[in-house]
Amino acid sequence: MRFSGLRVLKEGLTGNKGWTPHWRDPEPRPEYDIVIIGGGGHGLSTAYYLAKEHGLTNVAVLEKGYIGGGNVGRNTTIVRANYFLQGNSEFYSHSLKLWEGLEEDLNYNVMHSQRGIINLFHSDGQRDAAARRGNMMISQGDDAILLSRDELRKMLPYLNYDDLRFPIYGGLYHPRGGTARHDAVAWGYARGADQRGVDLIQNCEVTGIDIKNGAVRGVQTTRGPIRARKVAMVVAGRSSQVAAMAGMRLPIESHVLQAFVTEGLKPVIDHVVTFGMGHFYISQSDKGGLVFGGDLDFYASYAARGNLPTVENVMEAGMALMPMIGKARVLRSWGGIMDMSPDGSPIIDRTHIDGLYLNCGWNYGGFKAVPGSGHVFAHLIATDRHHENATKFRLDRFRTGRGVMDEEGKGSQHNLH
Amino acid sequence: MRITCPYCGERDRREFYYRGAATDLDRPAPDAGEEAWENFVFLRENPAGVTRDLWYHEGGCGAWVVVTRNTVTHEVLETRLASEARS
Ligand SMILES: Cc1cc2nc3c(=O)[nH]c(=O)nc-3n(C[C@H](O)[C@H](O)[C@H](O)COP(=O)(O)OP(=O)(O)OC[C@H]3O[C@@H](n4cnc5c(N)ncnc54)[C@H](O)[C@@H]3O)c2cc1C
Ligand SMILES: [Zn+2]
């Protein structure tokens, strides 16, 4: 089934009776060439690019719950390429380019909206840092514009410019940044992978990884054993548990990150605005809800819900930045389990076990990486070589100290990011 | 979440600074080797279930507290002074 404007019109006029399920619901086969553990954004995009770029279609994605039930359906949907460090910047640049062609590629409306992102700054020193970051973005081939306070005021008249603690000096504007509909990204990749022959197997939890003579042989699941020559672990917040099935300990701690959405309002916030000093960021969804969030709760957690102190912090920061927000009513809040790495950067690598691959450590920023991560991970799995835009996400960087990528300059130990 | 400080009693989570896994108390010898140090600084059990972590009663008495906690339910099961938990 292909989507088109004509098709939507026709279905609309005939009671929408012609739509069919977007993907099959196959029984797991006893053996595949490649098994991907985790049907989140990264697992699905990996399967899609394995099929599309490498012609590998004897592939299964095993998902313990349902497609889109993990972080891929819980995030605040921000997509950007404003990274500073080599290693990160070429990767996120690569990912953003894939986003820009994604809807045609998938024949699926993921509502990618390049409405622009503005990072605020509040001192001369921060302005210098923003200018430096902007120059790095431009030299990577992406876009960045340094906005003065007056220029910013024309774009975002609703901010509180004269807050005593954090007066606004200006902002770094990244016009190609924006948002996308998170569920649609999962569904679009799922549909695309399925159409190319990948089996998406839901309600199938991996409970063991079979290893013999240092090589992977397959997995044990709640729906029976499945043999495979290659197995990829792409389970975000659950990475430590799955890696433990292969006897591995990872440099990962799982933390809870919360997010919030208000009732639907008429258009009021046209961009994504981030207020780093208050750990607050906000955008408005196409349905009209103000979607916003803040920092981690800052303790290891698998609860997928947080505590009140963080809720309070986020609300206070929002009120300090844009007092008008106090009139909106919060509808819902939720949390997701984040795979936090010590330096805040991800891991995309082989493991010491032949045929076993690892993709994790996305911290709170893995949604924008969904296309790029799947693309370079598929390359690694298919060719056993790192993709040129993802050579630095190595697992051994913590042991050796070589190539640690601390984007925020906070240090490379747990609980600093 | 409320945490019972052995000195101050049950207090709001806001009074505490979170340090991370209580394995921080098991510092290897300086010459223990790369593997032992990687294990100590970076690698984590990261359990979904009962864990032990270190909290600092910053907004109270200033004690370091080892909290035994369930990461899935946020239930606090036991708290001890780090100085005692260590010995
Ligand atoms: C509140 C919040 C806001 C965020 N905001 C942003 C943002 O604005 N921009 C951004 O770039 N990123 C953001 N993120 C981060 C982003 O959502 C994640 O980094 C990313 O979604 C993680 O990758 P994933 O989609 O593959 O994860 P998931 O969707 O979590 O996929 C992992 C899957 O693995 C499955 N699984 C686990 N264990 C097993 C097993 N044993 N067997 C089989 N399957 C298993 C899980 O059920 C899950 O479906 C945010 C996250 C949260 C929680
Ligand atoms: Zn105390």
Side-chain angles (χ1 to χ4, degrees):
Chain A
M1 183 185 67
R2 274 194 70 76
F3 288 105
S4 66
L6 204 64
R7 181 79 198 262
V8 170
L9 200 67
K10 180 175 163 254
E11 289 296 337
L13 294 172
T14 54
N16 285 305
K17 294 203 180 80
W19 302 118
T20 51
H22 282 16
W23 54 83
R24 298 162 296 132
D25 185 19
E27 283 299 313
R29 293 205 299 267
E31 180 164 5
Y32 292 91
D33 289 342
I34 302 169
V35 156
I36 295 170
I37 311 174
H42 293 238
L44 294 167
S45 63
T46 302
Y48 175 77
Y49 291 115
L50 276 171
K52 181 182 173 232
E53 303 285 333
H54 305 279
L56 298 169
T57 56
N58 187 14
V59 175
V61 177
L62 310 182
E63 165 53 49
K64 79 169 174 182
Y66 60 93
I67 297 294
N71 286 336
V72 71
R74 290 170 172 268
N75 61 74
T76 43
T77 79
I78 296 166
V79 172
R80 58 188 166 91
N82 58 355
Y83 282 69
F84 179 79
L85 293 181
Q86 215 192 353
N88 279 331
S89 68
E90 69 265 29
F91 170 77
Y92 288 103
S93 184
H94 178 60
S95 195
L96 184 55
K97 287 183 198 112
L98 289 171
W99 275 106
E100 288 172 335
L102 193 60
E103 295 177 336
E104 289 83 58
D105 189 24
L106 294 177
N107 175 236
Y108 205 83
N109 183 6
V110 301
M111 297 166 76
H112 182 214
S113 156
Q114 294 184 292
R115 58 187 65 183
I117 293 183
I118 293 154
N119 307 130
L120 303 174
F121 51 81
H122 313 273
S123 68
D124 291 334
Q126 282 196 326
R127 182 192 290 113
D128 290 348
R132 186 162 175 244
R133 175 175 294 271
N135 286 335
M136 287 300 281
M137 291 159 64
I138 290 165
S139 65
Q140 178 59 48
D142 295 316
D143 59 329
I145 300 169
L146 197 68
L147 297 175
S148 70
R149 179 180 158 109
D150 289 341
E151 288 166 323
L152 191 64
R153 214 186 251 278
K154 285 192 198 110
M155 283 172 76
L156 311 177
Y158 51 82
L159 298 181
N160 173 12
Y161 284 80
D162 299 310
D163 182 72
L164 278 182
R165 180 70 184 84
F166 295 116
I168 295 170
Y169 276 44
L172 183 63
Y173 179 35
H174 172 37
R176 280 165 66 228
T179 58
R181 168 87 197 273
H182 49 10
D183 305 305
V185 174
W187 300 334
Y189 273 116
R191 172 172 168 272
D194 174 87
Q195 282 177 346
R196 284 174 166 77
V198 172
D199 280 0
L200 307 178
I201 302 175
Q202 305 184 62
N203 298 311
C204 181
E205 179 172 356
V206 171
T207 54
I209 298 179
D210 299 331
I211 296 158
K212 212 168 168 191
N213 300 330
V216 80
R217 294 293 166 89
V219 294
Q220 299 292 323
T221 81
T222 48
R223 297 178 67 176
I226 300 175
R227 289 190 302 278
R229 287 189 300 111
K230 294 185 174 182
V231 172
M233 304 183 282
V234 206
V235 291
R238 292 278 169 175
S239 294
S240 297
Q241 280 75 47
V242 172
M245 295 173 196
M248 295 173 66
R249 265 161 75 89
L250 297 182
I252 296 289
E253 264 192 21
S254 295
H255 281 249
V256 55
L257 179 69
Q258 304 195 55
F260 310 85
V261 65
T262 69
E263 61 197 328
L265 302 168
K266 287 190 176 173
V268 52
I269 295 175
D270 300 332
H271 312 84
V272 180
V273 181
T274 79
F275 172 33
M277 296 317 290
H279 299 290
F280 176 86
Y281 64 97
I282 188 164
S283 67
Q284 187 165 19
S285 81
D286 291 351
K287 269 194 294 188
L290 304 183
V291 180
F292 58 98
D295 218 333
L296 297 176
D297 268 39
F298 273 112
Y299 46 83
S301 169
Y302 286 85
R305 63 183 156 72
N307 268 286
L308 282 174
T310 302
V311 177
E312 212 172 60
N313 272 352
V314 172
M315 302 295 164
E316 284 170 2
M319 286 298 289
L321 180 68
M322 44 179 79
M324 70 172 183
I325 201 180
K327 291 192 178 165
R329 277 169 297 198
V330 173
L331 274 191
R332 285 180 289 123
S333 73
W334 64 93
I337 308 168
M338 321 304 315
D339 37 335
M340 302 300 295
S341 68
D343 62 356
S345 294
I347 296 162
I348 304 179
D349 210 346
R350 289 185 293 260
T351 67
H352 66 288
I353 295 158
D354 266 355
L356 185 66
Y357 302 83
L358 176 66
N359 180 319
C360 69
W362 291 101
N363 294 270
Y364 25 71
F367 178 66
K368 69 178 97 65
V370 164
S373 164
H375 192 259
V376 303
F377 198 39
H379 184 275
L380 179 68
I381 295 167
T383 67
D384 268 316
R385 286 193 311 275
H386 288 280
H387 187 277
E388 59 175 350
N389 289 320
T391 55
K392 303 217 160 139
F393 300 139
R394 294 178 54 143
L395 176 58
D396 68 2
R397 67 181 185 268
F398 302 104
R399 188 177 66 237
T400 63
R402 204 179 312 121
V404 163
M405 271 184 294
D406 170 17
E407 180 77 26
E408 294 176 6
K410 288 181 178 171
S412 59
Q413 280 186 36
H414 288 290
N415 298 305
L416 294 179
H417 291 271
Chain B
M1 195 150 76
R2 291 173 72 76
I3 295 172
T4 304
C5 170
Y7 288 134
C8 310
E10 191 185 293
R11 313 294 299 178
D12 190 324
R13 174 258 178 279
R14 268 169 266 231
E15 294 182 7
F16 294 83
Y17 162 81
Y18 177 77
R19 163 80 202 198
T23 49
D24 261 13
L25 296 172
D26 312 323
R27 194 179 176 84
D31 56 358
E34 212 174 55
E35 208 173 300
W37 276 96
E38 183 192 24
N39 208 30
F40 171 69
V41 181
F42 297 118
L43 304 187
R44 292 288 180 267
E45 190 87 11
N46 193 22
V50 176
T51 195
R52 285 168 73 238
D53 40 29
L54 267 179
W55 299 69
Y56 174 58
H57 198 187
E58 191 176 29
C61 65
W64 282 95
V65 183
V66 175
V67 178
T68 307
R69 210 167 50 85
N70 188 319
T71 56
V72 177
T73 62
H74 291 165
E75 188 187 359
V76 174
L77 302 165
E78 190 196 46
T79 51
R80 295 179 70 189
L81 288 177
S83 50
E84 287 170 10
R86 191 175 199 169
S87 49

